[in-house]
Amino acid sequence: MTEGDTRNSQRMGPDSLGCGPHIPALSESSRPLRQQIFERVRAAGSIPRVQVAKELAISPATVTTLTSELIEMGLVEEIQAARDGESGRGRPAVALGVRAAAHLVAGIKLADRESTAVIVDFAGNLIADLAMPRQSQVMELPVLVDTIDDLLSRICAKAEIARDALSAVGLGVPGFVDAADGVAHWSPILVARHVPLARAVEARLGLPVRVDNDANLVTLAELWFGAGRRLSDFAVVTIEHGVGMGFVLNHRIYRGARGLGMELGHTKVQLDGALCRCGQRGCLEAYVADYALAREATTALNWTSRETQSINMLLESLYDHAKAGNAAARSIFHRAGRFLALGLANVVNLFDPELIILSGERMRYDYLYANETLAEIQALALNTGRPVPKIEIHAWGDLLWAHGAAALALSAVTEGLLAPGREIAAQ
Ligand SMILES: [Zn+2]
């Protein structure tokens, strides 16, 4: 064996030819040019061809060719744009915009206490919305499918459209959801585990369905419609019945290699700590989520079962006690706030995001994000001499989640039309 052979045999892995990562031709970062043009037009709302060429660093001729394909497909249209600094002289400038009527999609979110739905057009304009209270109960799959079917009928009636006018449906449920294959591995609203949710709902509705968990939906809503539209890297942490996180890396939602990453609520903050509803101990969620606060409240304040019939009422009461100066009630919120700070400091140390958005109903309980909590994050994040990332509180209400579900459906339609190999399959 020569010296060269020895060196070769020491190469890592079975690939002996070449070096550098094997990036598939159609990876997230290299979408077809036509799709990139479409996405640029959609993000801008209205943009001249020459500006598209400049921003994508491609020739105006290429933009002209590809946009005429998009216009022919009925996805993009020419709109008259006012010229800056000129008052009606010469030909009016022509810009490109998404043809809003090209497609309609629905977004549906099922939560513990409420179901919400929206219908938006292809340009993201809201056509109709709906919020319905629901009994907090664990369901069998057929009951869940019935519920979705019923919600879709109601929202279509409200929008005055037939169901087959929709091109796709985005669906959000709480729990561990693999968005790529549409399977809900565990959800607090479903009895069974490993449920092929997307397939079951598609079979009933006769429409393409995309599924994701609720934290990712809020993140998509911020990315498509909210504070994250111009940010490349940011986190959304949701504090509701559980604690969730969505993360955007380089303008795309990050789900992990197997689709189940970013479960901040189940990162451990205490060895052998409090019992979590996932069955393990010491999860962040077991110290911060509403059931954690409720557990502490019933013990510390010695409340009886009559007073604890509804977790919502219990938390409201705990909040009132804290505001009135009750030391035990205050210490419960204070402790939850410290655990939240620990979780957020870990996010900062791992990802260094530009912004962390705290979202959810619980954000009304300002003890959770009091100044002490923010100071605690600063103390637990790496001491680099720089301030920790900006933290914003967004309490948008439940339609936000449904908007995220609509964004999921819109991207499914876009990819189906413009990214070969990623067509959405109607069952
Ligand atoms: Zn857990």
Side-chain angles (χ1 to χ4, degrees):
M1 188 181 270
T2 67
E3 201 180 314
D5 287 339
T6 312
R7 274 207 303 273
N8 268 343
S9 69
Q10 283 172 347
R11 278 198 172 194
M12 294 169 72
D15 257 355
S16 57
L17 291 174
C19 73
H22 282 285
I23 301 172
L26 283 176
S27 74
E28 282 288 286
S29 55
S30 62
R31 292 154 352 267
L33 207 44
R34 199 172 57 170
Q35 184 181 356
Q36 290 186 46
I37 292 173
F38 175 79
E39 288 171 352
R40 190 129 312 233
V41 171
R42 182 175 61 195
S46 149
I47 185 169
R49 284 182 176 85
V50 57
Q51 186 65 21
V52 175
K54 215 157 97 185
E55 289 181 13
L56 290 175
I58 52 178
S59 77
T62 306
V63 173
T64 303
T65 308
L66 293 176
T67 50
S68 36
E69 285 178 30
L70 290 167
I71 290 169
E72 218 162 273
M73 291 170 82
L75 305 180
V76 162
E77 62 189 359
E78 288 187 332
I79 46 181
Q80 303 296 324
R83 258 180 218 244
D84 289 339
E86 281 184 37
S87 48
R89 281 187 294 127
R91 281 196 308 146
V94 172
L96 299 169
V98 167
R99 200 170 73 84
H103 291 278
L104 292 172
V105 301
I108 294 176
K109 193 239 171 177
L110 300 182
D112 286 314
R113 290 180 287 272
E114 194 182 39
S115 302
T116 49
V118 296
I119 288 180
V120 303
D121 66 24
F122 206 40
N125 304 307
L126 181 67
I127 305 297
D129 61 65
L130 182 73
M132 284 178 62
R134 64 173 285 267
Q135 293 266 302
S136 182
Q137 57 172 6
V138 187
M139 291 179 281
E140 299 284 353
L141 179 62
V143 181
L144 185 96
V145 174
D146 284 345
T147 308
I148 294 164
D149 199 357
D150 176 57
L151 262 174
L152 195 69
S153 296
R154 286 170 191 266
I155 186 83
C156 283
K158 207 168 170 191
E160 297 178 345
I161 59 163
R163 185 181 288 198
D164 60 12
L166 294 171
S167 299
V169 175
L171 175 65
V173 294
F176 306 147
V177 179
D178 185 337
D181 60 12
V183 172
H185 287 284
W186 171 81
S187 172
I189 63 170
L190 268 170
V191 177
R193 284 174 176 252
H194 312 297
V195 175
L197 191 54
R199 218 168 55 217
V201 179
E202 271 178 356
R204 171 70 70 88
L205 303 182
L207 291 166
V209 173
R210 286 284 171 96
V211 183
D212 210 336
N213 76 32
D214 46 9
N216 280 345
L217 292 193
V218 179
T219 309
L220 278 172
E222 293 286 2
L223 181 65
W224 277 64
F225 302 104
R229 290 192 60 210
R230 290 178 189 279
L231 300 182
S232 64
D233 305 277
F234 67 95
V236 176
V237 174
T238 58
I239 304 165
E240 293 267 319
H241 195 55
V243 174
M245 177 162 86
F247 204 91
V248 168
L249 275 177
N250 195 19
H251 303 280
R252 304 254 144 193
I253 197 156
Y254 178 79
R255 294 186 172 92
R258 292 176 300 159
L260 290 170
M262 296 299 158
E263 287 293 345
L264 177 68
H266 303 281
T267 56
K268 307 300 180 274
V269 290
Q270 183 89 57
L271 262 182
D272 298 330
L275 192 60
C276 176
R277 47 181 192 150
C278 75
Q280 297 189 326
R281 285 191 176 274
C283 297
L284 176 63
E285 184 173 302
Y287 294 90
V288 177
D290 57 6
Y291 67 90
L293 298 177
R295 181 190 57 220
E296 296 239 311
T298 44
T299 313
L301 304 176
N302 203 18
W303 277 328
T304 64
S305 58
R306 186 184 56 77
E307 287 160 305
T308 61
Q309 276 171 347
S310 143
I311 204 165
N312 258 0
M313 279 167 56
L314 178 70
L315 289 177
E316 285 301 322
S317 175
L318 181 68
Y319 188 50
D320 290 343
H321 275 78
K323 272 194 299 191
N326 180 308
R330 290 194 132 177
S331 80
I332 291 171
F333 281 111
H334 180 65
R335 182 166 179 269
R338 291 191 66 205
F339 273 103
L340 177 63
L342 171 56
L344 296 180
N346 288 342
V347 170
V348 172
N349 286 345
L350 280 171
F351 298 106
D352 189 21
E354 285 173 84
L355 171 70
I356 298 178
I357 298 169
L358 301 181
S359 182
E361 270 184 73
R362 291 288 95 80
M363 299 328 298
R364 284 186 301 117
Y365 301 135
D366 43 13
Y367 290 97
L368 276 182
Y369 53 89
N371 284 338
E372 300 96 86
T373 304
L374 300 178
E376 192 87 23
I377 297 171
Q378 182 87 54
L380 293 170
L382 272 181
N383 186 6
T384 55
R386 294 182 308 169
V388 294
K390 232 173 15 164
I391 297 177
E392 288 180 6
I393 318 290
H394 293 182
W396 273 32
D398 251 8
L399 279 182
L400 172 72
W401 314 74
H403 263 100
L408 192 65
L410 280 177
S411 50
V413 173
T414 311
E415 282 182 3
L417 292 165
L418 298 173
R422 297 226 195 97
E423 288 84 1
I424 40 177
Q427 298 289 307

